[in-house]
Amino acid sequence: MNIHHLNCGSVREIEATYDGPPPAHAVNHCLLIETGEGLVLVETGLGLGDVRDPDGTLGTEWVEMARPVLKEEETAIHQLQRLGFSASDVRHIIVTHLDVDHCGGLPDFPDAKVHVLAAELEAALAQAPSRRYRPAHWAHGPAWATYQPADASQEKIRDWYGFTAIHPEGLPEEILMIPLGGHTAGHAGVAVRDGDRWLLHCGDAYYYHRELQPSPHPHPLLDIVQTSSEVHHDLRLGTQARLRELVRDHGHEVTAFSAHDPWEFANLSRS
């Protein structure tokens, strides 16, 4: 599989908490995966509708908080087209959760099957419209595929480095959904085999690379965002602790990254 790292929606500029990295816009880190049976998107970031009508689709409150740059050339559909693909080439989309900045591009790929944990979809449909969930992002009626991680009897449930892993229907075995609770009702990471290593897109399970250090060091601004949007504080912290153990014990096999850290994105997009 060929894997592309895409920033599908720059938001407010932030600074690192130590000398060295220059200030950078936080990103919406997406993956485009070329498989033998079409394209898979992990996350969509912001879509064309968000760029053209941000207050209407994203909501004024979220726009004022996140300060999105709103460039059409950053949308996933434009980046795919520059790579020579079309919207119809995207067969599957996996979203870590349905916050506005993670699924805003869904309407740009109306024919794709959208994979999400069942609890997340249930929460989104029940709570929208809100700052977190915006119904414009699924008004086109996606073909949802939902999963219950607690149902260990399912053949698609397996162990992955001590985490529960779900093999999404119709996708290669090298792509897995990893429930990472605490941020939303049904938040998940996505593991993708990349040669002899795994990539683990952690979504919003953490926000800043120094949170995975042995002595975690949150980013002061990003920490406000993650603590104000969590649905379960202890579960979120427990998830981060497990991710630190994963990096400590299996960092030679697994590269973990978050959805919004611009310095992680820069390192991975250059590799």
Side-chain angles (χ1 to χ4, degrees):
M1 300 189 299
N2 193 22
I3 303 170
H4 306 267
H5 294 266
L6 309 178
N7 170 23
C8 298
S10 300
V11 290
R12 69 160 65 208
E13 188 175 83
I14 57 176
E15 296 182 354
T17 57
Y18 55 98
D19 292 335
H25 286 277
V27 301
N28 280 296
H29 193 156
C30 303
L31 300 178
L32 173 65
I33 308 168
E34 299 179 48
T35 77
E37 300 180 358
L39 302 179
V40 179
L41 264 177
V42 177
E43 310 278 65
T44 69
L46 303 182
L48 289 174
D50 301 321
V51 174
R52 295 168 179 172
D53 181 20
D55 289 336
T57 59
L58 297 168
T60 302
E61 185 180 1
W62 187 88
V63 171
E64 291 177 349
M65 180 274 295
R67 302 176 192 171
V69 173
L70 300 174
K71 292 182 177 180
E72 287 198 12
E73 57 264 34
E74 285 192 342
T75 61
I77 184 63
H78 272 248
Q79 295 193 62
L80 263 67
Q81 289 168 348
R82 288 199 296 272
L83 290 168
F85 301 112
S86 66
S88 61
D89 292 322
V90 177
R91 302 283 301 279
H92 299 272
I93 297 173
I94 310 174
V95 286
T96 62
H97 59 301
L98 291 169
D99 277 358
V100 295
D101 47 341
H102 295 260
C103 70
L106 288 181
D108 298 332
F109 306 96
D111 299 325
K113 179 177 286 189
V114 181
H115 303 263
V116 63
L117 292 190
E120 184 66 15
L121 181 58
E122 291 168 6
L125 297 179
Q127 297 174 28
S130 63
R131 188 176 78 171
R132 163 159 270 163
Y133 300 125
R134 305 294 293 180
H137 293 150
W138 51 80
H140 61 290
W144 300 106
T146 61
Y147 305 92
Q148 299 276 5
D151 186 1
S153 65
Q154 297 181 82
E155 290 184 3
K156 53 181 165 282
I157 302 287
R158 69 187 230 199
D159 176 81
W160 184 83
Y161 294 103
F163 289 80
T164 296
I166 301 167
H167 177 215
E169 180 182 354
L171 291 175
E173 294 184 358
E174 295 86 359
I175 302 176
L176 303 169
M177 296 178 70
I178 312 294
L180 299 174
H183 179 65
T184 62
H187 184 273
V190 181
V192 182
R193 188 76 181 180
D194 184 19
D196 60 355
R197 296 178 58 83
W198 286 91
L199 296 173
L200 177 61
H201 191 311
C202 296
D204 287 355
Y206 75 98
Y207 276 58
Y208 182 50
H209 56 277
R210 298 188 81 185
E211 290 179 275
L212 294 193
Q213 294 180 344
S215 297
H217 186 105
H219 188 283
L221 179 59
L222 296 176
D223 198 45
I224 293 173
V225 178
Q226 70 174 336
T227 55
S228 65
S229 59
E230 66 189 8
V231 297
H232 195 300
H233 180 71
D234 291 342
L235 180 57
R236 180 180 66 81
L237 294 183
T239 292
Q240 290 187 357
R242 294 183 68 202
L243 289 172
R244 279 191 289 275
E245 292 176 358
L246 175 69
V247 171
R248 180 196 67 200
D249 298 338
H250 302 285
H252 59 293
E253 299 174 90
V254 179
T255 298
F257 57 94
S258 70
H260 301 302
D261 187 306
W263 302 288
E264 287 180 332
F265 174 78
N267 289 335
L268 286 165
S269 59
R270 284 195 298 261
S271 62

